[in-house]
Amino acid sequence: MPQELSLIDVDKPLFDLKTFTGRFQYYAWMTDPRTVLLSSDRLLQAKEMVDKYRKGEQSADLKLEEVHYNMKLYNSAFHPDTGELQNFAGRMSFQVPGGMLITGGMLAFYRTVPAVVLWQFLNQSFNAIVNYTNRNANSPTSVTQLGVSYVSATTSALIAAIGCKNYWSKKASPILQRYVPFAAVAAANCVNIPMMRQNEIIHGIEVKNANGEVVGQSRLAAIKGISEVVLSRILMAAPGMLVLPVIMNRLEKLPAYKRIKWINAPFQTLMVGCFLCFMVPTACSIFPQQCGLDTSTIRTFEPELYEDMVKRTGGAVPKRVYFNKGL
């Protein structure tokens, strides 16, 4: 077996996740949209290779590039908590193709209420899948909770979209009316993600010490993680949904562009895709996926959970605990 393979730890990322640059490189590598085109069989082969490599049962002629590529497929398609194959539409690697189609539709068809309703419905359906797929899987969610979360998020998005549309159509300039989709997306994210992950807020999520050992539960950790995810998702959509309306407002006034109106939706969809290619890894990189929280904060605001942590650790409570915030 090549000597360099003995140096690879498949459970550790190839990049330094303590820095923003390292996280950006990791998520740009891990969210590669091309991996969505691969079959489930190929992804399961990658998982099998990673599992065998972890046990020291890898093939002797395995190349370094193959190990890295299979690690990429494994990280992009399997849940970090459960190891289960994720729904392809919920993977972060599907954010560019899925997000560009839906966001392009929202930006291109915002002028009528039926169009707003249709595209917000599609967007929230997509968001529900993404939020469920990228949750902290150690806190199970019931079918009823999923349904309530979906209805609540869709309702909030429609209220924000139709409310802004009706108000801005009378009070605001045409350019400001183009921001109706972004207002709806921001409002819905503030509802959809916390509702979809409400069990984490109610019961808390597992927190671990620096060695990866579970030392307790924390609701504050869930709130911190979910808040960071909400902010990241809004920032992910912001450049495309804030800059593109300005560009389109100018383009649509050009005589040449007016003669090819059919290009409006495809052009906006393509432009959103360009923004998302950069913003998906950027937004995922703003906060570390493995978040940290001082146990002194837990002791102050969650004394009962801190006491449980003291019992679990025999009094040796770490100064800081860590948890998966999701994406």
Side-chain angles (χ1 to χ4, degrees):
M1 179 174 55
Q3 184 176 0
E4 65 267 28
L5 289 185
S6 62
L7 302 176
I8 299 175
D9 185 344
V10 293
D11 294 315
K12 290 185 178 180
L14 301 176
F15 309 92
D16 182 8
L17 300 188
K18 294 180 180 179
T19 67
F20 173 81
T21 302
R23 290 195 295 272
F24 179 84
Q25 291 175 313
Y26 171 73
Y27 285 113
W29 173 75
M30 192 266 280
T31 61
D32 183 349
R34 294 174 297 180
T35 61
V36 178
L37 301 175
L38 298 176
S39 67
S40 296
D41 288 341
R42 178 64 185 89
L43 297 174
L44 291 170
Q45 286 176 9
K47 183 179 188 297
E48 183 181 7
M49 187 243 96
V50 171
D51 289 340
K52 285 184 176 180
Y53 192 91
R54 190 182 288 120
K55 298 174 183 177
E57 301 173 357
Q58 67 277 8
S59 172
D61 58 352
L62 194 63
K63 296 180 181 178
L64 181 64
E65 293 78 10
E66 293 180 83
V67 178
H68 286 172
Y69 185 64
N70 282 289
M71 287 173 62
K72 173 180 179 175
L73 298 183
Y74 178 78
N75 288 325
S76 70
F78 293 87
H79 198 284
D81 290 335
T82 65
E84 294 178 353
L85 181 63
Q86 297 173 318
N87 184 301
F88 83 95
R91 299 173 202 159
M92 277 296 152
S93 52
F94 191 71
Q95 275 292 302
V96 172
M100 67 184 281
L101 290 173
I102 293 175
T103 306
M106 287 192 293
L107 292 174
F109 307 106
Y110 69 94
R111 291 183 172 88
T112 66
V113 172
V116 169
V117 171
L118 172 63
W119 285 102
Q120 288 301 326
F121 169 75
L122 293 174
N123 185 49
Q124 290 316 308
S125 299
F126 178 58
N127 283 344
I129 294 172
V130 174
N131 294 336
Y132 178 75
T133 303
N134 293 281
R135 72 201 185 284
N136 183 309
N138 292 320
S139 300
T141 304
S142 68
V143 175
T144 301
Q145 289 173 322
L146 291 176
V148 171
S149 303
Y150 174 71
V151 171
S152 300
T154 304
T155 302
S156 67
L158 292 176
I159 290 173
I162 296 173
C164 288
K165 177 174 175 53
N166 291 338
Y167 180 77
W168 288 347
S169 63
K170 301 173 183 177
K171 305 286 185 179
S173 63
I175 180 63
L176 192 58
Q177 294 177 38
R178 290 178 179 270
Y179 292 117
V180 167
F182 180 70
V185 166
N189 272 324
C190 293
V191 175
N192 195 331
I193 298 173
M195 288 293 291
M196 189 65 68
R197 299 174 59 178
Q198 59 184 288
N199 259 14
E200 299 174 37
I201 299 173
I202 296 171
H203 303 295
I205 57 175
E206 290 183 347
V207 292
K208 303 177 181 180
N209 60 19
N211 297 323
E213 301 167 338
V214 177
V215 295
Q217 301 273 125
S218 173
R219 291 185 293 270
L220 278 178
I223 293 171
K224 179 181 179 182
I226 291 170
S227 300
E228 292 181 355
V229 170
V230 169
L231 181 58
S232 296
R233 293 287 185 81
I234 294 174
L235 291 175
M236 187 184 295
M241 301 190 81
L242 294 179
V243 176
L244 196 53
V246 177
I247 297 173
M248 295 307 301
N249 195 54
R250 290 177 176 271
L251 275 178
E252 290 177 0
K253 294 176 181 178
L254 298 177
Y257 192 87
K258 289 180 180 179
R259 290 194 294 268
I260 49 172
K261 288 185 178 181
W262 60 267
I263 204 174
N264 188 41
F267 177 75
Q268 293 200 63
T269 300
L270 182 62
M271 289 298 294
V272 169
C274 293
F275 279 111
L276 286 177
C277 282
F278 177 75
M279 284 310 301
V280 168
T282 299
C284 291
S285 305
I286 294 173
F287 304 106
Q289 185 170 359
Q290 292 298 322
C291 274
L293 182 67
D294 291 338
T295 51
S296 59
T297 304
I298 298 176
R299 181 176 57 193
T300 302
F301 296 100
E302 299 178 295
E304 75 286 359
L305 295 179
Y306 183 81
E307 287 302 317
D308 179 63
M309 200 177 298
V310 172
K311 294 177 182 177
R312 287 197 187 196
T313 60
V317 178
K319 291 183 178 180
R320 195 167 177 80
V321 290
Y322 302 91
F323 56 94
N324 172 26
K325 70 173 178 61
L327 286 176

